[in-house]
Amino acid sequence: MGFFAAFAVGNLTPPMSPTESPEDIVTFLKDHRTGILTCVSLMVLLIPFEYPYVIVTSMQLRRVEGGWGILSMIQLTTGIMAPAGFFFPLAILAAAAYRPEAHSADVLSAMTDIFWLMFVGNACVFVLQVWSIGYAAFIDHTREKPVFPRWYGWLSLALGVVLIPGAFIFLNRTGPLAWNGLLAYLIPSIAYVFWKIATPYVLLKAITSEEKELAGKPEAEPVTV
């Protein structure tokens, strides 16, 4: 939720239209310079907190697979890359807003385009990440209560599906597949909010079940957290 609050501070939600003229983009950057830079500062502080989620989730997937396997490694590697998908586009936008008076309208327009194309388009990187979690929820047959509940598996699979339209923003400037469109931005954002709220709850339950499993083992390895 902190991400959405930061974007609200920068007046970046909903996104500006891809059809904005270079002059309108310059005006936007000048009018909202402080908000945009504040947004980026907040995001830089918030983004590192993604890593605990990535590590804990990967360790829980490891439980499902009985050791490091393809699902846990996919989750770990894509999860490590994910924060960079936030930071680098934001750094480009911050550079555009930092001193807009020093650059031409064409340069600022190009930098803003790069930000939105990277930020929304790179969402497809998360598809394999959330699908690996979703798939794990359906193959965990060794426990009475799976590490990841079935409903969370379906939620993760659904999130991966709704993220796919982000790949088509590079081909569209208007309509539902534009970077501010219904399919490429709005629906994925709503689904991501639900998934992000559900994830801490599911992980805490998984850690609790892990502690109970290890409590009965005489020489158990330390729990994830």
Side-chain angles (χ1 to χ4, degrees):
M1 297 303 291
F3 287 14
F4 288 93
F7 268 59
V9 170
N11 204 41
L12 297 173
T13 183
M16 64 176 64
S17 171
T19 60
E20 294 277 1
S21 68
E23 292 73 22
D24 290 337
I25 291 174
V26 173
T27 300
F28 177 85
L29 292 174
K30 289 180 177 179
D31 290 346
H32 302 286
R33 177 180 180 274
T34 301
I36 291 171
L37 296 179
T38 301
C39 166
V40 176
S41 295
L42 292 172
M43 290 291 287
V44 168
L45 294 172
L46 291 169
I47 287 170
F49 289 97
E50 283 288 299
Y51 288 110
Y53 285 101
V54 171
I55 294 170
V56 173
T57 304
S58 300
M59 294 296 289
Q60 293 303 320
L61 282 173
R62 181 173 175 266
R63 288 177 62 203
V64 175
E65 295 181 290
W68 291 107
I70 186 170
L71 298 179
S72 52
M73 292 303 296
I74 287 175
Q75 153 62 26
L76 183 62
T77 53
T78 54
I80 289 173
M81 179 181 175
F86 288 109
F87 177 75
F88 288 111
L90 286 165
I92 293 170
L93 183 66
Y98 192 70
R99 41 173 141 245
E101 71 283 351
H103 303 289
S104 69
D106 290 341
V107 169
L108 294 175
S109 178
M111 295 175 74
T112 305
D113 286 350
I114 292 171
F115 164 71
W116 285 113
L117 290 171
M118 289 182 66
F119 187 79
V120 180
N122 284 351
C124 288
V125 174
F126 296 97
V127 172
L128 277 181
Q129 181 186 14
V130 295
W131 276 357
S132 67
I133 301 170
Y135 184 68
F138 296 102
I139 64 170
D140 190 6
H141 302 300
T142 61
R143 297 173 178 82
E144 182 179 347
K145 291 185 178 181
V147 174
F148 297 103
R150 297 287 189 266
W151 64 264
Y152 184 70
W154 284 114
L155 179 62
S156 298
L157 293 176
L159 177 59
V161 170
V162 300
L163 287 174
I164 292 174
F168 300 98
I169 66 169
F170 306 100
L171 302 173
N172 296 273
R173 295 180 63 189
T174 59
L177 293 176
W179 73 46
N180 64 337
L182 178 68
L183 297 180
Y185 178 79
L186 183 59
I187 292 178
S189 296
I190 295 172
Y192 182 75
V193 169
F194 281 103
W195 185 82
K196 207 63 177 178
I197 293 173
T199 297
Y201 171 78
V202 169
L203 289 178
L204 288 173
K205 297 282 283 187
I207 292 168
T208 300
S209 70
E210 183 180 11
E211 290 174 338
K212 292 179 179 179
E213 283 183 11
L214 295 176
K217 297 180 180 179
E219 295 183 0
E221 61 179 281
V223 297
T224 303
V225 174

